[in-house]
Amino acid sequence: MGNILTFNICAIPIFIIILTSTFIRKTTKGEANRWFIVLSTVSLAAAVVDLIADGYGLFLPLSPVQLHIVTITNYLYFALRNATIVLYLFFLFALTRTDFRFRSKRVKFLLILPYLIILGLLLTNPWHHRVFTIRPDIGYSRGPLILVFYIISVGYAILGTFYLISCARFIRSGKWIALISMYVLSFIAIFIQFFNSKLLVEMFSTAVSFLIVILIVLRPEEITDPYVGLPSWKAYREELRKMTLVRYPAKILITRFLNASQIRTYLGEERYNQYIKRIAEQLALYAKEKHLRLDLYYEAPGIIYWILDNASPLVFSAQEFYSVNNRIELATQDIKIMGVHLNPRTCLINYPEDLVNADDIIHLGHEFHGLIQKDNACIRASELIDTRHYILGTKMGSILSQAIILQNFEMYYQPIYHISDGKFHSAEALIRLKDEQFGTISPEIFIPAAESRGLIIPIGDFVIDSVFRFIAEHDLSELGLEYIEINLSVAQCLEIGLPKKIREMQDRYHISPAQVNFEITETTYDEIGTLADSNIASLAEMGYSFSLDDYGTGYSNMQRILRLPLSLIKIDKTLVKESASVKGRALIRNTIAMMKDINKKIVAEGVESEAQFNYLKEIGCDYIQGFFFSKPLSQDEFLMILRNGNHRDSDTEQPEAARLTT
């Protein structure tokens, strides 16, 4: 007879393992996880009382005490067991982010009405004894109304099965199979136990199905940041995907710490992560005090995403944003004493009123801090989504793809002035994008977008091809130029076969490598290190010269400067601007002297005033590039200027070329 209890005996430790694992793995946050904990606890209780009831039922006849124990535990078992299938349905609603559809009292009542019928039959059973009876001599025996319990259980299972089928489009196949296994195993168990009441397999089948769910569906190692313990960026994306598919109304807040990378470097990884945890704890406490249903997600190094249920009563005013920042201050006040201060920016998105697409929400979350004023710590998405910068960002993928196909690019050239010769010596090739809808789009917008979308190489090919064609069509020596400068991106420097591609273009246009100078930026080279050395060395052997652009914005690695085949160093405009101060002038003067000592020519970028020009000339700068001489010019403007005025009288105080700024 002990074999009758085997399945229940096995079910109990499985439920205990599931609950223990849930807390050890910290899968306790979030509406779905909370439902699963309640569900597993109720199921464990049902298995325990079922074991007690059937355990005592093996020893007949029953004493009065045993009779009471068996009677009470049977009533508890039916109440708890039938509750599990209802709770599983609510767990599915929370997991699929569709619970908002079932919040009205009427809908909730209709959902639990069949279970209320079961409770009603149980409460009245002591009088009509038509569900089951417990007698001292024969123990437990079914009544005719037990069939109602099975019909209701099957009904709930059918409802859940069809609901999962309707949600299959946004649940990954492996997880969907794991979730529906609960109903498959329940159907089998109900069928077995209905025809053989002594074979107690219902709770065991439930335990096995829950184990499958926790192993395949609720996997925190897949969606939790291992260092901070919050659900990760991957989990946030998955949640957004579900939300946008079912149109789950919510408030989404994105809190971005602008100086997160620097603070992490200063504090160290471990200590910084502890502060992020403390911030998350403070935000969770804030949500609890405000009675908010809140889920938090984390993206390294410093973005916290909030998803707030729209049923939450709070309206985010300026005062509430201030309260949020106070919570962050509270969590980090000890490092603030050290002079270290996290710099948060928060954006509020009302979904679906503001944005309806998950990709648009993600894009705004990554870009909003660059669209607001520096002194504005909090902003609503509704204030940003109509700005040209934001609209461009969301449509940049299609704009770039179309531009590459239709060649909607145009080359501009900014002349570079040779101080000693008093004329333009070379020019930097600059690309512009001209879109039919948005007009001219700044490279500061479309170049980073092209890099992030893997489209920079075809754009770079367009630049090289256009410049080579320009050189082939015009005699540079007649124009007074020695070469044209072309920027090489990170992706191009790392491109396999770059030297071969450039040689093919060179042969096609019959140009000399001496007519082209390739620019690599200091910050770019910081990212790629030695990986591009072979490409650069090959191009140098072919006769192409190189310059280091934006000197002064990176780490200024002198060993790298000595190793690379550089003929020019271009001082960045941010350094040139410092010439207004005594320390800035000393820095520029010593930089130029140092470069002269290692036989490098110097180009100063971003020169905008006569005072800057005169100082740079005085300290021995070789070339000047900037609005003081000329803005970037279209090809026709560039040719006209070169043909009409590429010279000046060396005794003239004000270069004639300066007129080009108008």
Side-chain angles (χ1 to χ4, degrees):
M1 292 294 287
N3 291 334
I4 295 175
L5 305 178
T6 301
F7 286 106
N8 267 345
I9 292 171
C10 292
I12 291 171
I14 293 175
F15 283 125
I16 293 172
I17 290 169
I18 288 170
L19 281 167
T20 304
S21 173
T22 298
F23 287 97
I24 290 175
R25 298 159 83 199
K26 298 181 179 179
T27 51
T28 56
K29 297 175 182 177
E31 198 70 14
N33 288 331
R34 288 190 284 269
W35 275 111
F36 190 77
I37 291 170
V38 172
L39 178 60
S40 300
T41 304
V42 171
S43 298
L44 172 62
V48 169
V49 295
D50 193 30
L51 180 65
I52 294 171
D54 290 305
Y56 274 109
L58 295 176
F59 304 100
L60 299 175
L62 297 174
S63 68
V65 173
Q66 291 173 334
L67 179 65
H68 280 93
I69 291 174
V70 172
T71 302
I72 292 170
T73 51
N74 268 286
Y75 277 106
L76 285 173
Y77 169 74
F78 279 111
L80 293 171
R81 170 62 186 139
N82 286 280
T84 59
I85 202 158
V86 184
L87 291 172
Y88 191 74
L89 196 60
F90 282 95
F91 163 69
L92 292 180
F93 295 158
L95 187 71
T96 56
R97 281 278 180 185
T98 54
D99 52 335
F100 70 96
R101 296 173 177 170
F102 309 99
R103 284 182 186 154
S104 72
K105 291 180 180 179
R106 180 173 175 274
V107 172
K108 285 181 179 177
F109 177 75
L110 289 175
L111 283 172
I112 65 172
L113 179 59
Y115 178 67
L116 294 177
I117 293 172
I118 288 176
L119 290 182
L121 291 174
L122 285 175
L123 289 172
T124 57
N125 189 61
W127 290 275
H128 56 68
H129 302 292
R130 296 179 66 81
V131 177
F132 66 85
T133 57
I134 309 291
R135 290 169 51 184
D137 53 340
I138 62 172
Y140 169 85
S141 62
R142 294 174 175 174
L145 289 181
I146 197 69
L147 183 62
V148 175
F149 287 32
Y150 282 98
I151 291 172
I152 290 174
S153 294
V154 170
Y156 274 121
I158 291 172
L159 174 62
T161 300
F162 277 104
Y163 193 78
L164 275 175
I165 291 171
S166 72
C167 297
R169 69 188 189 281
F170 57 86
I171 302 176
R172 301 188 189 281
S173 57
K175 293 184 178 182
W176 187 87
I177 292 170
L179 290 169
I180 208 153
S181 69
M182 162 69 176
Y183 293 122
V184 174
L185 293 176
S186 291
F187 277 125
I188 295 171
I190 289 171
F191 181 81
I192 292 172
Q193 201 158 321
F194 179 76
F195 289 103
N196 186 349
S197 62
K198 299 297 184 181
L199 201 56
L200 308 177
V201 294
E202 283 193 40
M203 296 314 303
F204 180 73
S205 72
T206 302
V208 171
S209 64
F210 285 8
L211 191 60
I212 293 171
V213 168
I214 202 169
L215 289 174
I216 298 176
V217 180
L218 305 178
R219 299 188 62 187
E221 62 275 9
E222 280 188 352
I223 59 171
T224 302
D225 185 281
Y227 305 107
V228 175
L230 288 174
S232 66
W233 158 243
K234 180 180 178 181
Y236 172 69
R237 282 189 308 171
E238 184 70 16
E239 210 62 25
L240 277 186
R241 190 176 70 88
K242 287 190 291 188
M243 284 174 54
T244 52
L245 282 169
V246 302
R247 292 298 177 93
Y248 180 92
K251 293 180 179 70
I252 302 167
L253 281 88
I254 302 104
T255 298
R256 184 186 188 106
F257 302 109
L258 301 187
N259 56 344
S261 296
Q262 295 89 330
I263 298 296
R264 184 172 61 176
T265 300
Y266 176 76
L267 294 176
E269 190 82 26
E270 185 174 351
R271 192 174 181 190
Y272 174 79
N273 290 334
Q274 289 298 322
Y275 281 106
I276 295 295
K277 288 180 182 179
R278 284 167 54 177
I279 290 169
E281 289 168 1
Q282 283 295 328
L283 296 181
L285 181 61
Y286 165 81
K288 185 177 180 180
E289 292 172 359
K290 298 290 184 178
H291 307 290
L292 306 176
R293 294 174 63 183
L294 170 68
D295 293 323
L296 290 175
Y297 304 84
Y298 174 69
E299 179 182 2
I303 307 179
I304 294 177
Y305 300 96
W306 316 31
I307 295 181
L308 282 164
D309 194 302
N310 246 11
S312 301
L314 186 65
V315 175
F316 271 89
S317 61
Q319 181 61 39
E320 289 302 331
F321 280 125
Y322 179 75
S323 299
V324 168
N325 283 340
N326 276 348
R327 293 288 181 168
I328 295 171
E329 294 272 354
L330 184 64
T332 58
Q333 57 185 342
D334 52 338
I335 63 169
K336 189 177 179 181
I337 295 171
M338 300 162 51
V340 179
H341 177 67
L342 280 169
N343 190 6
R345 295 288 186 275
T346 300
C347 180
L348 169 64
I349 302 171
N350 283 306
Y351 176 81
E353 293 86 355
D354 294 337
L355 297 168
V356 297
N357 183 279
D359 290 338
D360 290 344
I361 295 171
I362 289 169
H363 172 77
L364 183 61
H366 284 155
E367 300 296 332
F368 80 91
H369 63 288
L371 305 176
I372 62 177
Q373 296 178 358
K374 291 183 179 180
D375 58 348
N376 195 356
C378 305
I379 196 162
R380 299 175 187 276
S382 56
E383 300 173 40
L384 296 175
I385 55 179
D386 291 330
T387 63
R388 183 176 187 272
H389 195 153
Y390 171 75
I391 295 170
L392 274 175
T394 58
K395 296 186 176 181
M396 191 52 66
S398 60
I399 290 171
L400 284 170
S401 298
Q402 185 179 37
I404 291 169
I405 294 170
L406 301 178
Q407 298 288 278
N408 289 341
F409 298 106
E410 186 175 339
M411 294 308 302
Y412 275 60
Y413 297 87
Q414 185 170 31
I416 298 173
Y417 187 79
H418 191 297
I419 293 178
S420 297
D421 292 349
K423 67 174 186 176
F424 293 132
H425 163 272
S426 57
E428 181 178 355
L430 302 166
I431 189 171
R432 298 290 185 265
L433 193 164
K434 294 201 171 181
D435 183 73
E436 185 176 336
Q437 179 182 357
F438 295 100
T440 301
I441 300 173
S442 168
E444 293 180 356
I445 296 176
F446 78 80
I447 292 296
E451 289 175 337
S452 66
R453 290 168 171 81
L455 299 173
I456 196 65
I457 287 181
I459 294 175
D461 290 346
F462 175 88
V463 172
I464 297 172
D465 186 86
S466 298
V467 172
F468 279 28
R469 185 171 62 252
F470 175 84
I471 294 171
E473 292 173 352
H474 305 90
D475 189 333
L476 291 189
S477 60
E478 286 186 3
L479 297 173
L481 302 180
E482 292 188 14
Y483 55 81
I484 302 292
E485 295 187 345
I486 300 174
N487 286 282
L488 286 181
S489 67
V490 178
Q492 286 174 292
C493 289
L494 294 171
E495 186 182 3
I496 297 173
L498 176 67
K500 180 182 177 183
K501 178 190 290 185
I502 291 176
R503 183 180 290 278
E504 289 173 353
M505 290 188 188
Q506 171 189 314
D507 294 342
R508 186 191 317 149
Y509 290 107
H510 307 290
I511 70 163
S512 168
Q515 296 174 300
V516 174
N517 176 79
F518 288 113
E519 289 187 9
I520 54 175
T521 66
E522 185 178 6
T523 49
T524 293
Y525 213 82
D526 286 338
E527 296 178 31
I528 61 179
T530 59
L531 293 176
D533 281 352
S534 60
N535 276 344
I536 292 173
S538 297
L539 291 171
E541 288 174 5
M542 290 163 59
Y544 291 96
S545 60
F546 284 85
S547 60
L548 186 68
D549 196 14
D550 298 338
Y551 180 84
T553 59
Y555 290 105
S556 305
N557 189 315
M558 292 306 298
Q559 287 183 333
R560 182 188 304 148
I561 290 173
L562 292 172
R563 187 180 76 249
L564 291 171
L566 300 170
S567 56
L568 285 168
I569 304 296
K570 302 187 76 172
I571 297 176
D572 188 70
K573 61 184 179 182
T574 56
L575 200 57
V576 170
K577 285 184 178 179
E578 296 299 322
S579 63
S581 67
V582 175
K583 291 182 179 179
R585 287 195 294 273
L587 180 61
I588 296 171
R589 182 176 62 251
N590 289 318
T591 297
I592 290 177
M594 178 176 62
M595 293 303 170
K596 292 281 187 179
D597 286 342
I598 58 174
N599 298 317
K600 306 295 182 186
K601 296 289 186 180
I602 304 297
V603 181
E605 296 181 296
V607 178
E608 297 179 352
S609 69
E610 186 174 357
Q612 291 174 337
F613 168 72
N614 289 333
Y615 180 69
L616 291 163
K617 177 182 176 181
E618 176 189 330
I619 61 177
C621 186
D622 300 294
Y623 307 102
I624 300 294
Q625 181 179 353
F627 277 26
F628 180 64
F629 288 96
S630 176
K631 64 181 180 180
L633 304 168
S634 68
Q635 182 171 305
D636 290 341
E637 292 173 325
F638 180 55
L639 289 170
M640 182 183 69
I641 293 304
L642 293 178
R643 287 166 177 159
N644 295 337
N646 190 8
H647 67 280
R648 74 169 179 91
D649 187 335
S650 59
D651 296 327
T652 304
E653 289 296 325
Q654 174 76 5
E656 186 176 342
R659 296 176 188 154
L660 300 180
T661 57
T662 62

